[in-house]
Amino acid sequence: MRQLRTRLITGATFLLLAVAWLIAGPAQLGGTTTYVTTHGISMQPRFHTGDLALVRPAADYRVGEIVAYRSSVLRRVVLHRIIARHGDRYTFKGDNNNFVDPIRPGGDELIGRLWVRVPRGGAILSWLRIPAIAALLFGGIALLLLWPARRRRRRRDRHRSKAGARPRGAPSMTGRSMRMVSPNAQLLVGTCGVVAALCVLVGLLAWTRSATDPTAAKIAYTHKVRFSYRADAPAGAVYPSGTVKTGDPIFLRLVRQVRVKVAYQLASAAPAQVGGTQTILLRLSSPTGWSRTIRLQPSTPFRGSDSSAWVVLDLDQLQALIARVDALTGTPAGSAFTVDIMPRLHVKGTLADEALDDRYNPELSFQLDPLQLRAANAGAGAPGAAPAGGSSGFTQSRVGSVAATVATPNHLRLGGHGLRVATARWLALVGFLFALAVALLTTIRERRRPQDLSMQIHARYGHLIVPIAAIMHDPSQPVVDVMSIDALAQVAERCERVILHHHRIGAESYLVDDEGTLYRYQPRPAAPLQEVAAA
């Protein structure tokens, strides 16, 4: 059983080393993986100084992928992201840079695509390059590899010395030196070996593929602006509460000023870090085509994805301006003018780590005549409700998007079924460890399981033993009883005979028939051969 366990562990070790070499063999030693230690801040926040990037060559490189290339300007390896491609030339840029790389390397200058990132892995490799530390590390590894062999050699020499001191004729087998593996244990260990091999195969397929695949996508966002107004008026039959609310008509005899609120929000499912500026204008225009723009609020910065501002409409000033325009242009008195409230929003920042720079210019229109001021594009719905399409009314919106590269899970196709690469990696690792643990536990259990001498004999000399159903013995044939199964095996090998095994309850007989002489070994007391033959 010890030999089986040793072979299992040795085979698994060599298999793991072969898989590790195929997966992460350094390119300098003939492998396919290049180890890149990062420096600087150009790829923050994903990479920091001292991180280790494992890159592997690919058949094709796409926009959005992180790729290493040899820079002829810096004369070293650069790890940046591809932002554009023109034929066989690639444009690179660091995620934390506000400029693109000065050179555009060709396909033959690319080393490989990012495969695995190991935080602080480069610092550890640099630490291992110190001669003293490297000597201690490799010395310890050599000691671990040579010490078990030395112990085995010493144990083997000790057993040999004990065997040489054993009294002549004494049995040479002990329950520790000979073990017979039960068929069930053999089947279980073999099954574990098959499962472990399959897990290694799946792991090899999974670890040689990227867990995610960069895919071009559009990150959607929505500009939303909600208009509302309030005004104070004498409490009475027209305005019982003395307050004019959004949606109410504004009668000029009762209301002198109107406060208009502009509330902005940037809505998106992706994380946003934005800010910007907001300017609010008023445009007064006549039916003849005349118009004038008045700044109600100067450019005001805001931070975050929402902001709000109040502006005041002085109705007396607007009516006085309209009267002067009518008098100068000859427009008939009483004509309705259009009053447009125009927020001018400029939003900048990042959305899902992608640059966002957009402008939004909604408008809320009122009709102003000598009698009242009323909202022109509020629709017939309830106050504050957005009409269909979201392009007019007190609540207005506009949908936009930014181009981004998102990491979608990569799949491993096995037998027509898709399995995520990350899941396949975990399943392969857990399956291999489970199979190895079951095999080792079975080995330990078989090692500790009490076994009788018969099982030990079959474990050692099973290739010489032939079971028989009965013993046909001539009483005149001499019988020689030997003291150990080893002695009987030597007789069988010298005479080129097989060992006949007869078993019955309470008795075991091992026989070698050599030209009229019957050599016999009986582990337990047995009946005379005449009685056995008669039975």
Side-chain angles (χ1 to χ4, degrees):
M1 195 64 188
R2 183 183 300 149
Q3 293 179 355
L4 176 62
R5 182 183 62 183
T6 303
R7 291 175 181 174
L8 180 63
I9 294 176
T10 304
T13 301
F14 279 107
L15 186 60
L16 287 176
L17 290 176
V19 172
W21 176 262
L22 290 175
I23 293 176
Q28 294 84 347
L29 300 178
T32 59
T33 304
T34 301
Y35 293 74
V36 179
T37 301
T38 58
H39 301 276
I41 61 173
S42 63
M43 288 298 290
Q44 288 185 359
R46 184 166 185 178
F47 283 93
H48 297 81
T49 298
D51 290 350
L52 181 65
L54 276 65
V55 298
R56 296 170 62 91
D60 186 32
Y61 300 92
R62 289 176 285 182
V63 174
E65 294 178 339
I66 298 178
V67 176
Y69 70 92
R70 295 180 180 85
S71 174
S72 58
V73 176
L74 301 176
R75 299 190 179 279
R76 65 180 181 180
V77 176
V78 176
L79 185 73
H80 280 173
R81 190 184 301 275
I82 299 176
I83 62 172
R85 178 178 179 178
H86 305 281
D88 190 41
R89 293 289 175 178
Y90 297 86
T91 302
F92 284 83
K93 175 181 175 295
D95 291 350
N96 197 38
N97 291 344
N98 55 6
F99 56 89
V100 299
D101 293 3
I103 64 171
R104 295 183 178 181
D108 56 342
E109 299 176 82
L110 304 186
I111 299 175
R113 179 172 54 202
L114 176 65
W115 176 46
V116 176
R117 181 182 71 90
V118 182
R120 305 301 300 167
I124 296 175
L125 283 182
S126 301
W127 183 65
L128 292 177
R129 291 193 183 102
I130 301 175
I133 296 177
L136 290 175
L137 177 63
F138 288 106
I141 293 175
L143 183 61
L144 291 176
L145 293 177
L146 296 177
W147 181 255
R150 183 172 180 271
R151 291 187 59 187
R152 286 195 300 269
R153 185 169 60 254
R154 293 179 59 185
R155 190 184 300 115
R156 183 168 58 250
D157 295 341
R158 187 166 55 250
H159 288 332
R160 287 177 179 175
S161 63
K162 289 182 179 180
R166 186 175 60 248
R168 185 173 183 178
S172 63
M173 290 186 302
T174 62
R176 186 174 182 85
S177 63
M178 293 184 61
R179 289 281 173 179
M180 181 177 179
V181 183
S182 64
N184 291 336
Q186 293 179 2
L187 178 61
L188 183 57
V189 172
T191 303
C192 290
V194 174
V195 172
L198 291 176
C199 290
V200 169
L201 178 60
V202 173
L204 180 62
L205 295 175
W207 283 100
T208 53
R209 288 169 170 79
S210 175
T212 58
D213 193 13
T215 304
K218 291 186 178 297
I219 307 299
Y221 61 88
T222 304
H223 295 291
K224 293 182 179 180
V225 170
R226 180 181 178 86
F227 294 95
S228 60
Y229 60 84
R230 296 179 68 89
D232 296 328
V238 179
Y239 303 113
S241 62
T243 302
V244 181
K245 300 179 181 180
T246 304
D248 294 340
I250 303 170
F251 294 99
L252 303 183
R253 287 188 177 183
L254 303 176
V255 179
R256 315 312 305 170
Q257 288 184 339
V258 179
R259 300 187 303 277
V260 180
K261 181 181 181 181
V262 179
Y264 168 75
Q265 180 186 16
L266 178 73
S268 177
Q273 295 181 354
V274 297
T277 59
Q278 177 177 258
T279 304
I280 302 178
L281 306 176
L282 181 145
R283 183 175 60 203
L284 181 65
S285 54
S286 70
T288 61
W290 172 88
S291 65
R292 181 176 177 182
T293 301
I294 303 172
R295 187 184 297 270
L296 298 179
Q297 175 185 287
S299 179
T300 304
F302 66 89
R303 296 181 62 85
S305 57
D306 51 13
S307 70
S308 61
W310 287 88
V311 293
V312 177
L313 301 183
D314 191 323
L315 300 182
D316 289 338
Q317 291 183 359
L318 291 178
Q319 285 182 305
L321 179 59
I322 289 173
R324 291 198 302 271
V325 171
D326 286 344
L328 294 174
T329 60
T331 303
S335 299
F337 278 65
T338 301
V339 179
D340 297 317
I341 307 298
M342 303 183 299
R344 294 295 180 258
L345 294 154
H346 184 196
V347 183
K348 299 179 65 176
T350 60
L351 183 65
D353 295 331
E354 298 294 335
L356 172 65
D357 190 344
D358 196 11
R359 298 178 183 271
Y360 182 45
N361 304 320
E363 294 183 4
L364 177 65
S365 297
F366 291 89
Q367 291 293 320
L368 179 61
D369 57 36
L371 178 63
Q372 65 178 347
L373 176 70
R374 64 181 186 276
N377 57 352
S391 59
S392 62
F394 292 108
T395 301
Q396 301 181 25
S397 63
R398 194 198 73 192
V399 177
S401 63
V402 295
T405 302
V406 297
T408 58
N410 200 3
H411 288 77
L412 189 65
R413 298 295 174 182
L414 298 173
H417 300 281
L419 182 66
R420 289 189 175 184
V421 170
T423 305
R425 290 177 179 178
W426 280 108
L427 289 178
L429 179 60
V430 172
F432 178 81
L433 295 178
F434 179 77
L436 185 61
V438 171
L440 291 178
L441 290 176
T442 303
T443 303
I444 295 173
R445 186 192 65 180
E446 288 295 310
R447 181 178 178 83
R448 295 182 177 179
R449 183 170 60 88
Q451 298 178 347
D452 57 17
L453 188 58
S454 176
M455 296 181 66
Q456 299 178 29
I457 292 172
H458 279 265
R460 190 166 189 177
Y461 298 114
H463 62 288
L464 295 175
I465 296 176
V466 176
I468 59 175
I471 301 175
M472 305 304 294
H473 174 61
D474 185 0
S476 63
Q477 184 180 14
V479 177
V480 178
D481 287 311
V482 298
M483 298 302 295
S484 69
I485 188 64
D486 294 335
L488 188 66
Q490 291 178 5
V491 172
E493 292 175 349
R494 185 179 66 250
C495 301
E496 297 183 354
R497 296 288 191 272
V498 296
I499 300 176
L500 304 177
H501 175 221
H502 178 260
H503 167 75
R504 71 171 187 165
I505 299 176
E508 299 284 342
S509 296
Y510 295 89
L511 311 167
V512 174
D513 188 359
D514 180 28
E515 298 179 356
T517 300
L518 189 64
Y519 296 91
R520 178 177 63 182
Y521 171 68
Q522 292 177 320
R524 300 184 182 91
L529 289 177
Q530 293 83 351
E531 299 180 11
V532 175

